[in-house]
Amino acid sequence: MTDLTPLISSARILMVDDEISNLRVLRSILESRGYRNLFEVQDSRRVVEQYEEILPDLVLLDLTMPHQDGYEVMAALQSLDIEVMAPVMVLTARGEREFLLQAFRAGARDYIKKPVDGDELLARVRNMLEAHLAHKMLHARKELLDRMVQERTADLLRTRMQVIHRLGRAAEYRDNETGQHVLRVSHGAALLARHLGWSEEECEMLLHAAPMHDVGKIGIPDRILLKPGPLNAEEWEVMKGHTLIGADLLSGESDLFYLAREIALAHHEKWDGTGYPRGLRGESIPLSARLVAVVDVFDALTSVRPYKQAWSVEDAADLIRDQAGRHFDPDLVRWFDQLLPEICEIRRTFADQHHHSEVYRYDGT
């Protein structure tokens, strides 16, 4: 058990009484036991100011004073924004039950009657300081542990986010030397979501889930994934399977993996019901997948492919607008149009260092 004796002897005690003679008596008694950090206040209007300056470990407070009585002082102290308040011991010549109950209701922890008995005062002061200092130590230890837990949790979250981002980019690296596509898509989708009214927490979740939208491409053979020309019908069916592979890979219990799975499975669905793998229509397509679909197609069109040059921003944006109500959610297309300058800025921020991009075959025309 921790020995509190050194802490008790150095404890700060604030003594409040309008009579200087009473303050001198208190000082004499406390100094006889080795207390040295003693502070006196005669004007009760200065108690709060002095309290905030010294942050005492105990307050000895007279109840009957001019300007502000002890009850008013306690009310003022309780309004302070201090996590661990010092206990208050009231000093009073009155011993009536209702009078003392009123003091306890006002915030007092203990009382001692005047004239003060020195031995009784010292015993009560020590008991109160022991309890208060032990409470402060526990509070400080809890704060330290909470901070350590928060830091550890943040480290784990950062590690998890790094793994997730690398998982998403691993799929892109099979046919994209830089893997920047997933970053452009995730930031673009989060931008749209934010303007739709998603909370910052929800946007952050989307930012971390969207990079895994094409993780299922890991399971697509290179002869199909890297084919420079058009896919035949059989190859196209295999390519479509990346949505199901991705959903299977992302099966998990966390909210993040649930969202990532939802996007991976549905980001190739179309507003008119002609998409894959389930042929969902309109708002039956998860909003997260609809968000990713718009920026995913736009980014693919404006990137170089093994079989084509990059489209201009204007041409790609025109196609997005033309596909409103067919491929894309028309409301999201309107937001996309408004936010196009910011989406282009995201493209510049996460620009590919090389000119090879993943194979994305747009079949919406």
Side-chain angles (χ1 to χ4, degrees):
M1 183 175 178
T2 303
D3 183 10
L4 296 174
T5 301
L7 293 175
I8 290 173
S9 62
S10 60
R12 298 179 296 278
I13 301 176
L14 179 60
M15 304 176 297
V16 184
D17 199 307
D18 62 304
E19 296 288 342
I20 187 64
S21 58
N22 291 337
L23 292 172
R24 287 174 178 168
V25 169
L26 292 174
R27 177 176 288 276
S28 176
I29 294 172
L30 293 169
E31 285 182 343
S32 71
R33 189 56 62 87
Y35 295 104
R36 291 291 179 267
N37 291 324
L38 307 175
F39 303 87
E40 300 175 2
V41 175
Q42 281 186 264
D43 188 340
S44 57
R45 294 170 296 186
R46 294 190 56 248
V47 173
V48 171
E49 172 191 345
Q50 187 75 348
Y51 187 104
E52 291 183 303
E53 181 179 337
I54 68 172
L55 294 176
D57 299 302
L58 175 64
V59 178
L60 303 179
L61 177 66
D62 185 27
L63 283 179
T64 307
M65 296 179 291
H67 308 305
Q68 291 182 350
D69 62 22
Y71 304 108
E72 293 172 307
V73 170
M74 284 188 281
L77 290 176
Q78 288 179 356
S79 68
L80 296 177
D81 185 21
I82 297 175
E83 290 190 358
V84 183
M85 292 292 295
V88 176
M89 179 188 294
V90 295
L91 310 174
T92 178
R94 299 179 61 179
E96 298 92 331
R97 180 175 179 274
E98 285 303 318
F99 186 79
L100 295 175
L101 286 176
Q102 183 183 357
F104 288 128
R105 285 193 291 267
R109 296 285 186 83
D110 200 356
Y111 73 95
I112 192 164
K113 292 182 181 179
K114 293 180 179 180
V116 174
D117 178 276
D119 290 335
E120 181 183 4
L121 175 68
L122 290 171
R124 289 178 180 269
V125 164
R126 182 177 180 87
N127 287 342
M128 294 193 73
L129 285 174
E130 282 182 346
H132 176 65
L133 293 173
H135 179 57
K136 281 180 66 176
M137 290 178 64
L138 286 174
H139 182 78
R141 187 171 298 172
K142 179 180 181 299
E143 281 193 327
L144 175 61
L145 290 174
D146 287 346
R147 189 161 56 249
M148 290 172 65
V149 168
Q150 290 172 1
E151 290 173 355
R152 180 59 177 158
T153 301
D155 286 341
L156 290 173
L157 180 60
R158 281 192 293 270
T159 300
R160 185 173 71 167
M161 290 303 103
Q162 288 174 358
V163 171
I164 287 169
H165 279 230
R166 281 159 175 74
L167 178 62
R169 295 181 72 178
E172 295 300 320
Y173 266 100
R174 291 194 59 208
D175 50 16
N176 180 336
E177 293 180 8
T178 67
Q180 295 293 83
H181 169 72
V182 294
L183 299 179
R184 295 193 294 266
V185 169
S186 60
H187 281 272
L191 173 68
L192 286 173
R194 189 171 295 109
H195 283 79
L196 288 176
W198 287 30
S199 69
E200 282 304 312
E201 182 179 357
E202 291 169 329
C203 291
E204 186 77 8
M205 185 81 73
L206 180 62
L207 184 69
H208 295 308
M212 294 182 282
H213 68 279
D214 270 339
V215 70
K217 291 192 301 183
I218 290 173
I220 303 301
D222 287 349
R223 62 180 176 80
I224 295 175
L225 186 66
L226 303 179
K227 185 177 179 179
L231 301 180
N232 61 38
E234 181 182 350
E235 291 169 336
W236 186 244
E237 288 304 312
V238 174
M239 176 63 81
K240 288 179 180 179
H242 82 275
T243 56
L244 299 172
I245 295 170
D248 183 59
L249 287 173
L250 296 170
S251 297
E253 298 298 325
S254 74
D255 291 343
L256 179 64
F257 275 90
Y258 179 86
L259 181 62
R261 182 182 186 277
E262 178 180 83
I263 294 169
L265 183 61
H267 72 286
H268 283 293
E269 301 287 359
K270 295 183 181 179
W271 186 258
D272 64 4
T274 62
Y276 64 87
R278 294 177 292 173
L280 300 179
R281 179 187 299 270
E283 293 186 357
S284 65
I285 305 168
L287 179 55
S288 60
R290 284 180 267 151
L291 286 164
V292 168
V294 174
V295 290
D296 184 28
V297 170
F298 174 76
D299 190 76
L301 291 173
T302 52
S303 299
V304 175
R305 294 292 181 264
Y307 56 90
K308 74 169 185 68
Q309 294 298 312
W311 289 28
S312 69
V313 168
E314 293 77 11
D315 288 343
D318 282 343
L319 183 139
I320 298 293
R321 297 183 193 107
D322 180 66
Q323 289 295 312
R326 287 188 281 177
H327 189 150
F328 307 115
D329 180 338
D331 288 336
L332 295 187
V333 172
R334 283 190 286 273
W335 277 110
F336 166 84
D337 212 21
Q338 293 182 38
L339 297 169
L340 185 57
E342 294 174 64
I343 292 172
C344 290
E345 183 59 34
I346 289 171
R347 284 187 55 77
R348 286 188 287 272
T349 301
F350 299 103
D352 289 322
Q353 299 302 310
H354 304 288
H355 295 297
H356 302 290
S357 294
E358 83 288 355
V359 178
Y360 184 101
R361 293 169 172 82
Y362 182 72
D363 65 333
T365 55

